[in-house]
Amino acid sequence: MEKFSKWRDSGTGIQPFLQPIPARTQRGLLLSTFGLVKDYIVGPLLAGVRLTVVAAIAVVDCATNALGSLLVVPSVRRVWSRCTRSVLAGLALFVLGFYWIDTKKVGLQKGRRTSKDVRQRGLKKNQGNVNSGDIIIANHLSYIDVLYLVAKYNPVFIEIDNATTYARPVSMWSALRSPARQTPALLQAKDARPLKAITEEARVGCLGPVVVFPENATSNGRALLQFLSVFEEVENQDEKSAIHIMALKYPFQSFSPAFSVGNQLAHLFRLGCQMYNSLIVRVLEQDEAPRIADSAMFCDEDVEPVDLDEAVKAKLLQLSRLRMTKLTAMDKRDFLAFYYLRSKGYRPTI
């Protein structure tokens, strides 16, 4: 659309904010008839059933959280929350048509890695596990990302200040709603904390890993936005935190699960109209992930330090096989303001 051409990346020609549309294909009469029946009869009925079940799951989640708050022992309360929320998030994904999620660990280095190579990196066999206080770095495409991460890890989600790169923890519900909202330019000073403080708190409290979306906004999955320099500040570097990098992708034929703009309820309804939905997750082998211990702050004097932000960017670009635009989360903020203004004052409802 020409009215949104301002937010088309000049280097790649990609518009990363508008809802992606499927490629046009010629279909025969039989397929066209089946498509009409699916889109206007079966799909809406299926979506109605699915959204009713998802609403029931949300009510159960609120009830289990309220019940968990009555538990006196903190460790028991955390285990209760992690177990119930992970199960319910996985159930919600299944109800929405994500019957199977294609997840694989991927190595980017050519050639076979030996056990000696792994030892030289200082890694143990169990260090590929994601532990409380570790950092998960991923591209951000949709509220479905949040459901997947909750089902898999029940992590701590954060909101990042675009100027200072300090952050604040947010609830799962806030993380689910954030793709429909404008990215806050700045956080209140009293709320923003160094990432290290958040990872340490998560490690001590066994709260799960900390998720960092370095784009700080959702895209439509056609390209990556510019990353925030999260590790530029020394206070954001926690040597005890392992970095885990993953790339998410939503293959689709009719309607994309990626959500970057519009009405989130309407998007959820159309998502529920599909017979099934697909999510591909690629996780970088842990022995190839950047280590905070290799940064200038912690490495030995005779060793060349690693620029963590550049290393993370390079790995995620390779892992996702996407190009990076010059657009940022602030460009997304401006885009949403213009989009909703053109939509006669419409604002997202959730």
Side-chain angles (χ1 to χ4, degrees):
M1 296 181 183
E2 290 302 321
K3 60 185 177 182
F4 300 116
S5 59
K6 176 182 176 181
W7 292 277
R8 184 178 298 278
D9 181 59
S10 58
T12 62
I14 295 174
Q15 216 293 2
F17 300 140
L18 289 173
Q19 184 69 21
I21 57 175
R24 292 183 178 181
T25 57
Q26 292 184 347
R27 297 188 297 181
L29 180 61
L30 181 61
L31 289 177
S32 298
T33 304
F34 175 77
L36 289 173
V37 172
K38 179 180 73 70
D39 292 341
Y40 294 101
I41 300 177
V42 178
L45 291 174
L46 182 61
V49 173
R50 282 174 165 171
L51 265 61
T52 301
V53 176
V54 169
I57 292 173
V59 172
V60 172
D61 178 75
C62 294
T64 54
N65 273 348
L67 182 60
S69 65
L70 300 177
L71 299 175
V72 179
V73 182
S75 58
V76 176
R77 185 165 60 246
R78 287 193 292 269
V79 171
W80 169 265
S81 176
R82 292 180 66 179
C83 292
T84 55
R85 181 150 277 181
S86 294
V87 169
L88 292 173
L91 180 60
L93 284 172
F94 185 84
V95 170
L96 289 173
F98 293 90
Y99 304 124
W100 180 71
I101 296 175
D102 181 7
T103 306
K104 289 182 182 178
K105 283 195 172 183
V106 176
L108 301 176
Q109 295 178 358
K110 294 182 179 180
R112 186 176 180 180
R113 292 182 299 277
T114 64
S115 57
K116 180 180 178 181
D117 296 329
V118 175
R119 287 196 300 271
Q120 287 176 345
R121 287 273 293 169
L123 298 174
K124 299 178 182 179
K125 289 183 178 180
N126 62 351
Q127 282 186 315
N129 298 333
V130 182
N131 302 310
S132 290
D134 285 355
I135 299 172
I136 296 175
I137 296 179
N139 58 321
H140 196 15
L141 305 173
S142 175
Y143 51 90
I144 299 298
D145 306 347
V146 176
L147 277 180
Y148 167 76
L149 290 167
V150 171
K152 188 76 173 177
Y153 307 107
N154 194 26
V156 177
F157 294 98
I158 61 173
E159 193 172 53
I160 306 175
D161 188 296
N162 284 276
T164 65
T165 67
Y166 285 179
R168 67 175 179 184
V170 296
S171 68
M172 178 195 74
W173 291 106
S174 180
L176 284 170
R177 294 192 299 268
S178 64
R181 294 176 172 177
Q182 289 180 305
T183 302
L186 301 172
L187 300 179
Q188 293 186 6
K190 63 182 181 65
D191 296 331
R193 293 190 288 160
L195 179 60
K196 181 178 179 179
I198 298 174
T199 56
E200 287 178 340
E201 182 180 73
R203 185 179 303 110
V204 172
C206 296
L207 304 177
V210 177
V211 173
V212 175
F213 294 125
E215 297 166 286
N216 212 26
T218 54
S219 70
N220 58 18
R222 297 185 61 203
L224 297 174
L225 306 181
Q226 282 290 315
F227 288 2
L228 292 178
S229 298
V230 177
F231 297 107
E232 186 176 15
E233 292 290 336
V234 174
E235 293 175 292
N236 284 342
Q237 298 181 22
D238 184 356
E239 188 182 15
K240 295 181 180 179
S241 296
I243 296 176
H244 305 268
I245 299 178
M246 59 180 62
L248 297 89
K249 182 179 181 181
Y250 295 97
F252 71 99
Q253 293 182 344
S254 300
F255 184 73
S256 174
F259 176 75
S260 58
V261 66
N263 186 309
Q264 195 167 358
L265 284 175
H267 183 276
L268 183 62
F269 182 83
R270 292 195 63 184
L271 192 66
C273 288
Q274 302 197 115
M275 298 295 108
Y276 67 91
N277 292 292
S278 300
L279 170 58
I280 295 176
V281 181
R282 294 293 177 260
V283 182
L284 182 65
E285 289 281 1
Q286 191 54 35
D287 60 309
E288 296 186 26
R291 297 192 308 162
I292 296 178
D294 294 333
S295 70
M297 177 67 181
F298 300 105
C299 72
D300 296 332
E301 293 182 358
D302 58 341
V303 177
E304 184 177 356
V306 173
D307 186 325
L308 290 176
D309 291 304
E310 289 299 320
V312 166
K313 183 190 298 184
K315 295 295 185 181
L316 193 48
L317 279 168
Q318 287 181 275
L319 193 63
S320 65
R321 296 183 179 180
L322 294 173
R323 290 183 288 177
M324 178 167 284
T325 67
K326 296 179 181 179
L327 300 172
T328 66
M330 290 297 93
D331 292 312
K332 172 71 179 292
R333 179 182 173 86
D334 295 339
F335 167 81
L336 288 177
F338 180 79
Y339 179 91
Y340 294 134
L341 181 64
R342 293 289 298 237
S343 301
K344 299 180 180 179
Y346 163 77
R347 291 293 185 275
T349 55
I350 67 170

